Amino acid sequence: MNTVWGLLVVITFFNGCIIKDQWWWTYAKSQITGNASIPSRPEVINIGSILTLDTIIGKVAKIGLEAAVENVNNDPTILKGTKLKLIVHDSNFSGFLSIMEAFQSLETESVAIIGPQTSVLAHMISHVVNKLQVPLLSFTATDPTLSSLQYPFFVRTTHSDAFQMAAIADIVAYYEWKQVVAIYIDDDHGRNGITFLSDQLATKRCKISHKAPIKPDARRADIREVLLQIALMESRVIVVHTYANWGLDVLQAAHDLHMMDRGYVWITTNWLSTVIDISSWVNPTKLFSSMQGVITLRSYIKDSPLKRKFATEWKNMTTLGLSTYSLYAYDTIWLLARALDNFFNHGGSVSFSKDPELNDSRGGFLNLDSLRIFNEGNSLLNNILQVKMNGTTGPVEFTSDKNLISPAFEVINVIGTGFRRVGYWSNSSRLSTTLPETVPNRTSSPKKPLRNVIWPGETLKKPRGWVFPHNGNQLKIGVPKHVNFKEFVDQVKGTDMYEGYCIDVFTSAVNLLPYAVPYKFYSYGDGYHDPDATHLVSLISAGVYDAVVGDIAIITNRTQMADFTQPYTESGLVVVAPVRRLNSGTWAFLMPFTAKLWCVTGLFFIVVGAIVWILEHRINDEFRGPPKQQIITTLWFSFSTLYFSHKQNMMSSLGRLVLIMWLLVVLIISSSYTASLTSILTVQKLSSPIEGISSLMSIKDPIGYQQNSFVRNYLVDELGISETRLVPLNLPEDYEKALNDGPSNGGVAAVVDERPYIELFLSTRCQFSIVGQQFTKNGWGFAFPRDSPLAVDISSAILKLSENGELQRIHDKWLTRSACSSQGAKAAVDRLELKSFKGLFFICGLACCIALFIYLGLTIHQYAKHKPDLLEPSTRSLKPGRLKTFISFVDEKHESVKARTQKRLEEARSRASLDGNDLSVNGSRSSGRVSVSDTP
């Protein structure tokens, strides 16, 4: 007991803490308590490893594993004296041999198996280790499905292919490619990886247009045959997900077939970066010659002292290059060692037991009864998944779904005899040109997440990513077989050729493409009724047609079935109805103005004349005289301004201001009246009781529409018009007859159809016209399969046709008629309304009011200054007398008022002078009397 306590004191002293080592603490505690059941650590722990040693990955992995075992065994701080023994087995790419090697490893009572090298073998061996409860750690089996609950004892110590496929999908989406071709090995590794790629592409609205599997035992001739099929296809973006040996054969065959030329895009998973890292020093010119411009991924490993130290040791161990698989192999041993250390620290022991189900009666020559179940396998598995350490690959830690944290890749562009890093990808920051650990999580992509790439053919220009397929198949284009309006689409009799406005637009657009597009038109319809365009478009997604060309309106439900090009003509729904000619009549001269406008204009003539009279009456003799004469003068002056023939001169500044504003109003109104009256008398006017879709909805009369068009669904579903009111019509002649008959004779009140049809219909039928405004707006386009790159190129060609005027020339060739205006005549007389001149009348009225207020102010001031003295002072306080006096003052001429005032002033001066003289005389007389009286 004293020895135990002394040992604890020594451990505490050297470690600087009370107890650091859990195992020693557990062992000491057992000695103190007398518990001798805690087992001691074994001297040797067997670890099995299944590799394919004749591959470059197998070679570097073996070196990495052995180096890690040696370093672990030489490190006294881990496993406390227990040594790891690595038993390597060669599977030689054989599933049968892998099973045998796994059995041999398990017969040696290995606590874990590292490997196998491929996902196919991992699937098979996982069933064995599940039964025997032995953890299976693999740093090369990247099949995402191995993470499923079906394989609880499988632990992947590298990143899953699911993250690689997400990175490739981001690259494809960044360059705006919509389709890729996938080349893969036809096994679990290849198929499952490509399945995940397809899922990731779908989230970006991209897809795999063709899957090209390669047999696991394929020869170069087989690979060449696969590539020849790909060369005939549309997509030029090729993703290669294979093993290193097959991948190099694929690239070499592609190079020989000139599939590494300009226009192609090659993207590979990380097998290519592994080859470059390991073998680039052997013969770089030969190695890189067949992969110029290829983009590949490489696991991103942050630089660290541990990584640099191991890289230095690696150079002393082999001439092969250091790859990421070497680092993951090295960290796998250390991961297992730390898990075992923690396992033993918590009292774990290594023991095996026999499974009664495994016996010779079932195993035969397999000797299954020699296999043992690892009793503590679940405990060791939990310890493995709980490890948190820093390795040569960076932080090593598992998520809840048994994936390593922080998956990240370098995006590498192979060029010359080396490569250049064009960016990074991580699960948190996606594509970026900065290091993953320096980029925070973000929801949007940066403006330029990748640097410039040198593509195959040594070009910096981004490849289009597709060409028209060279497999000899023509595009199968569906064309509606019309029975009416054949100016848009019509089949030439006796041939399989088509003509019309829509056909000419399509062929002109195709001729502008920088590549040939072989195609053939196929008619759709019975020739007796117009076909349903929506159903025709749906046949694209069904695979019947490769495209649809014709008068196809772009509406919502059709865009869910196919992709449409840029509209090549505008369209929309309009209402056409019978119209009648409006005769000018006796009172046509009154029609330019509405009644309100006539009344307001006449009122202003009178008001302006009255205000001018008020302003000029006191100073202008032409506006004075008897009342009758003044009224006639005022009216004559006011209405003569209509012809600018007034003879009266304005004497006051305020009068001139009012006259100028009124003449401006008269000029504008008279000009507008003249223009409107000219239009009424010279232009044909038509009238209809229906004014547009609103008035059509308010009545209950029948409505015609083109049979099998989307108009019916729109009127019923969107506008709520009863289906019983709708009458399907087939031919333009049916339109004409139904409109002429009218609702009372079994016809219709109006027809609703798309504007291009109606304009063509009206070009020879002037008794009908478009009434109201167009109440929907869409266009016609050509339909292609979803995400079709051809639709994008055709759209660009249509824009070019519009810019160079060719589109208008095609329109004029097929649709312009001269017999009757396609726009039709106006269905109502456009009368000038009061609201059109409100501002003008307001300005004129404001000027009149201002002038009148100024005049009244000046007049009141003059009245106060020049008002006459009343003879009877008692009457000064009476208001009627004051008002009468003021009116008399206002009516009096201004010169008279001034003269009377001047006369009054002179009289006042005279009186003042006389009063002064009288006062001096009287004073003299008084003085004389005083003098006389005073004389004695």
Side-chain angles (χ1 to χ4, degrees):
M1 182 65 69
N2 293 334
T3 303
V4 173
W5 280 107
L7 181 61
L8 289 175
V9 172
V10 173
I11 294 173
T12 303
F13 176 80
F14 282 100
N15 287 278
C17 59
I18 298 176
I19 296 295
K20 265 193 161 184
D21 192 294
Q22 181 65 33
W23 184 84
W24 282 105
W25 170 247
T26 305
Y27 177 75
K29 184 176 179 181
S30 67
Q31 295 297 318
I32 296 171
T33 58
N35 183 5
S37 63
I38 302 299
S40 60
R41 296 193 178 203
E43 294 183 0
V44 178
I45 295 293
N46 292 331
I47 300 174
S49 178
I50 303 174
L51 301 173
T52 307
L53 297 179
D54 61 346
T55 63
I56 57 175
I57 294 177
K59 292 175 182 178
V60 298
K62 182 175 181 293
I63 297 172
L65 292 175
E66 291 174 346
V69 169
E70 181 180 356
N71 290 342
V72 168
N73 290 338
N74 292 334
D75 189 344
T77 63
I78 192 168
L79 291 180
K80 310 305 184 293
T82 299
K83 303 297 183 182
L84 298 181
K85 182 180 179 181
L86 181 66
I87 305 172
V88 180
H89 300 273
D90 187 6
S91 66
N92 198 25
F93 264 117
S94 171
F96 176 76
L97 291 179
S98 297
I99 295 292
M100 294 299 98
E101 298 298 340
F103 285 160
Q104 291 181 17
S105 295
L106 296 171
E107 288 175 0
T108 61
E109 296 186 346
S110 297
V111 298
I113 297 177
I114 297 178
Q117 192 170 314
T118 65
S119 299
V120 177
L121 303 181
H123 276 280
M124 294 187 291
I125 297 176
S126 292
H127 294 285
V128 179
V129 298
N130 286 351
K131 182 65 177 177
L132 301 180
Q133 299 182 12
V134 176
L136 177 65
L137 290 78
S138 179
F139 52 87
T140 53
T142 54
D143 178 5
T145 62
L146 286 169
S147 299
S148 65
L149 298 177
Q150 184 182 4
Y151 308 110
F153 281 87
F154 176 82
V155 179
R156 183 186 292 107
T157 57
T158 186
H159 295 299
S160 167
D161 277 343
F163 302 109
Q164 273 200 100
M165 300 310 170
I168 292 175
D170 282 349
I171 293 172
V172 172
Y174 167 65
Y175 288 111
E176 298 179 342
W177 297 314
K178 294 300 182 181
Q179 299 181 11
V180 303
V181 172
I183 301 176
Y184 60 96
I185 288 293
D186 194 11
D187 61 10
D188 293 338
H189 170 73
R191 286 191 300 270
N192 294 333
I194 294 303
T195 298
F196 270 76
L197 175 61
S198 179
D199 294 341
Q200 291 293 332
L201 288 173
T203 64
K204 311 292 183 181
R205 289 202 65 185
C206 306
K207 67 177 182 178
I208 298 176
S209 60
H210 176 70
K211 295 181 180 180
I214 298 176
K215 298 184 296 183
D217 57 348
R219 297 171 298 176
R220 291 193 176 184
D222 300 325
I223 295 174
R224 182 182 177 89
E225 186 65 26
V226 171
L227 292 178
L228 286 174
Q229 295 177 5
I230 294 174
L232 298 176
M233 294 180 181
E234 178 179 329
S235 178
R236 284 293 182 263
V237 182
I238 304 170
V239 177
V240 184
H241 180 52
T242 66
Y243 303 112
N245 294 346
W246 285 267
L248 292 175
D249 289 343
V250 169
L251 295 182
Q252 184 60 54
H255 181 267
D256 296 340
L257 293 171
H258 301 286
M259 295 177 67
M260 284 290 178
D261 294 342
R262 182 172 298 188
Y264 280 90
V265 177
W266 290 84
I267 304 174
T268 75
T269 47
N270 61 353
W271 62 264
L272 181 57
S273 62
T274 302
V275 173
I276 294 173
D277 290 338
I278 297 174
S279 306
S280 60
W281 60 273
V282 178
N283 190 348
T285 303
K286 180 179 179 181
L287 177 67
F288 287 102
S289 63
S290 62
M291 58 182 71
Q292 293 296 299
V294 175
I295 293 178
T296 185
L297 300 177
R298 178 169 64 182
S299 293
Y300 170 72
I301 297 176
K302 182 181 178 182
D303 190 29
S304 66
L306 283 175
K307 178 183 175 182
R308 291 193 295 269
K309 179 182 177 182
F310 182 68
T312 302
E313 295 176 0
W314 184 265
K315 294 179 181 179
N316 299 326
M317 291 184 289
T318 179
T319 57
L320 296 174
L322 177 63
S323 75
T324 55
Y325 284 115
S326 308
L327 300 174
Y328 281 117
Y330 185 83
D331 284 352
T332 300
I333 291 293
W334 277 95
L335 170 69
L336 181 58
R338 294 188 182 278
L340 284 169
D341 191 44
N342 194 50
F343 170 74
F344 290 133
N345 288 343
H346 286 81
S349 63
V350 177
S351 63
F352 294 85
S353 61
K354 186 176 181 180
D355 188 344
E357 296 182 1
L358 301 176
N359 53 59
D360 254 348
S361 63
R362 297 187 181 184
F365 71 93
L366 292 178
N367 195 26
L368 295 180
D369 57 345
S370 64
L371 300 178
R372 299 290 185 270
I373 295 176
F374 182 22
N375 296 326
E376 289 77 19
N378 275 306
S379 178
L380 178 59
L381 175 64
N382 292 332
N383 279 279
I384 291 173
L385 297 177
Q386 292 172 5
V387 168
K388 296 181 181 180
M389 73 174 198
N390 285 322
T392 59
T393 58
V396 178
E397 183 180 345
F398 291 97
T399 62
S400 58
D401 54 358
K402 298 197 303 182
N403 283 318
L404 287 178
I405 62 171
S406 305
F409 295 92
E410 300 175 60
V411 183
I412 292 174
N413 180 207
V414 180
I415 192 67
T417 56
F419 61 86
R420 50 194 295 269
R421 188 182 299 107
V422 296
Y424 301 90
W425 182 92
S426 70
N427 197 36
S428 57
S429 61
R430 317 307 286 186
L431 291 175
S432 174
T433 55
T434 56
L435 296 174
E437 64 268 17
T438 63
V439 181
N441 293 355
R442 57 168 171 249
T443 56
S444 59
S445 300
K447 292 183 179 179
K448 190 174 181 181
L450 293 178
R451 299 183 182 92
N452 291 333
V453 173
I454 300 178
W455 303 101
E458 298 182 357
T459 177
L460 287 171
K461 183 180 179 181
K462 184 198 78 172
R464 187 174 59 208
W466 74 280
V467 295
F468 199 80
H470 302 293
N471 54 10
N473 294 331
Q474 294 179 319
L475 277 181
K476 190 175 182 180
I477 299 179
V479 177
K481 189 174 184 178
H482 278 302
V483 296
N484 60 10
F485 301 116
K486 293 187 177 183
E487 290 84 351
F488 296 104
V489 177
D490 187 27
Q491 184 174 6
V492 180
K493 293 183 179 180
T495 69
D496 57 354
M497 299 176 62
Y498 288 79
E499 62 180 4
Y501 170 67
C502 303
I503 301 298
D504 279 5
V505 172
F506 177 76
T507 55
S508 299
V510 169
N511 291 336
L512 290 179
L513 298 180
Y515 49 88
V517 179
Y519 59 88
K520 185 176 181 181
F521 292 128
Y522 293 84
S523 63
Y524 174 78
D526 57 10
Y528 299 99
H529 301 87
D530 276 343
D532 186 345
T534 301
H535 184 261
L536 176 58
V537 172
S538 69
L539 295 179
I540 295 177
S541 57
V544 177
Y545 297 118
D546 298 314
V548 170
V549 170
D551 46 344
I552 309 298
I554 305 173
I555 57 177
T556 303
N557 62 334
R558 294 176 186 172
T559 59
Q560 297 171 355
M561 305 172 185
D563 279 354
F564 282 84
T565 62
Q566 171 82 14
Y568 58 86
T569 188
E570 292 185 358
S571 181
L573 296 182
V574 294
V575 178
V576 61
V579 291
R580 60 181 178 85
R581 190 186 305 274
L582 292 177
N583 296 321
S584 297
T586 305
W587 302 100
F589 69 92
L590 295 176
M591 295 178 66
F593 289 174
T594 60
K596 285 185 178 181
L597 184 57
W598 277 118
C599 294
V600 172
T601 303
L603 179 63
F604 259 79
F605 270 104
I606 297 173
V607 170
V608 170
I611 291 176
V612 170
W613 176 84
I614 293 173
L615 297 176
E616 296 289 326
H617 176 66
R618 298 187 66 217
I619 60 176
N620 194 336
D621 292 337
E622 295 182 11
F623 288 91
R624 298 188 63 80
K628 182 178 179 181
Q629 180 182 348
Q630 294 185 46
I631 293 174
I632 294 174
T633 300
T634 300
L635 293 176
W636 170 256
F637 167 80
S638 178
F639 286 100
S640 64
T641 57
L642 179 63
Y643 309 102
F644 304 96
S645 59
H646 53 282
K647 297 180 180 180
Q648 292 81 2
N649 295 320
M650 297 293 101
M651 303 296 294
S652 68
S653 299
L654 295 176
R656 294 190 185 101
L657 173 64
V658 172
L659 180 61
I660 289 174
M661 297 304 300
W662 175 241
L663 291 178
L664 175 63
V665 174
V666 170
L667 175 63
I668 295 175
I669 289 182
S670 60
S671 299
S672 302
Y673 174 85
T674 303
S676 181
L677 182 61
T678 302
S679 175
I680 291 174
L681 296 178
T682 59
V683 179
Q684 175 180 289
K685 295 294 179 179
L686 303 176
S687 177
S688 171
I690 297 174
E691 299 178 354
I693 188 63
S694 298
S695 62
L696 193 61
M697 293 171 60
S698 63
I699 62 177
K700 301 299 181 181
D701 293 336
I703 303 172
Y705 70 94
Q706 187 178 160
Q707 190 175 22
N708 290 329
S709 72
F710 72 94
V711 177
R712 174 190 169 278
N713 291 337
Y714 182 85
L715 295 178
V716 174
D717 299 337
E718 301 296 332
L719 301 185
I721 295 177
S722 174
E723 191 173 356
T724 58
R725 295 180 57 192
L726 303 182
V727 179
L729 304 172
N730 200 27
L731 300 172
E733 291 75 15
D734 297 337
Y735 285 24
E736 183 177 8
K737 183 178 184 304
L739 289 171
N740 285 329
D741 291 345
S744 59
N745 297 318
V748 297
V751 171
V752 177
D753 206 348
E754 295 183 77
R755 178 176 284 274
Y757 299 131
I758 295 302
E759 289 181 346
L760 191 61
F761 171 76
L762 294 177
S763 64
T764 56
R765 299 170 178 85
C766 298
Q767 69 271 32
F768 311 112
S769 177
I770 296 174
V771 293
Q773 300 296 322
Q774 177 177 309
F775 57 93
T776 68
K777 189 173 183 62
N778 50 39
W780 288 357
F782 306 129
F784 289 87
R786 299 299 298 270
D787 302 320
S788 171
L790 186 57
V792 178
D793 287 355
I794 292 291
S795 295
S796 300
I798 291 174
L799 290 176
K800 291 180 181 178
L801 291 175
S802 177
E803 292 169 357
N804 61 24
E806 182 64 21
L807 200 60
Q808 184 61 42
R809 284 191 289 271
I810 297 174
H811 179 277
D812 295 342
K813 171 185 175 183
W814 289 100
L815 304 181
T816 301
R817 301 292 180 86
S818 59
C820 191
S821 173
S822 62
Q823 295 292 335
K826 293 185 178 180
V829 176
D830 292 331
R831 308 181 70 183
L832 297 176
E833 299 181 0
L834 176 62
K835 63 181 181 180
S836 302
F837 301 97
K838 277 186 178 180
L840 194 62
F841 283 121
F842 174 77
I843 294 174
C844 181
L846 182 64
C848 292
C849 291
I850 292 175
L852 188 60
F853 284 139
I854 293 174
Y855 173 79
L856 290 177
L858 293 175
T859 302
I860 292 173
H861 175 71
Q862 293 174 359
Y863 173 73
K865 181 178 180 182
H866 302 294
K867 64 181 179 178
D869 297 327
L870 299 178
L871 296 176
E872 299 180 4
S874 61
T875 63
R876 293 181 182 181
S877 61
L878 297 177
K879 293 183 178 179
R882 282 188 174 186
L883 179 61
K884 184 177 180 180
T885 303
F886 177 74
I887 293 174
S888 299
F889 175 78
V890 171
D891 183 60
E892 191 175 5
K893 192 173 182 180
H894 184 63
E895 286 78 2
S896 300
V897 173
K898 291 179 65 177
R900 187 176 63 251
T901 302
Q902 184 65 30
K903 182 178 180 180
R904 187 184 305 115
L905 291 175
E906 291 177 355
E907 290 176 352
R909 291 193 192 99
S910 299
R911 285 196 302 268
S913 176
L914 292 175
D915 291 342
N917 293 333
D918 292 342
L919 181 60
S920 61
V921 171
N922 292 333
S924 300
R925 290 176 180 177
S926 300
S927 301
R929 286 195 300 266
V930 170
S931 300
V932 172
S933 60
D934 289 342
T935 301

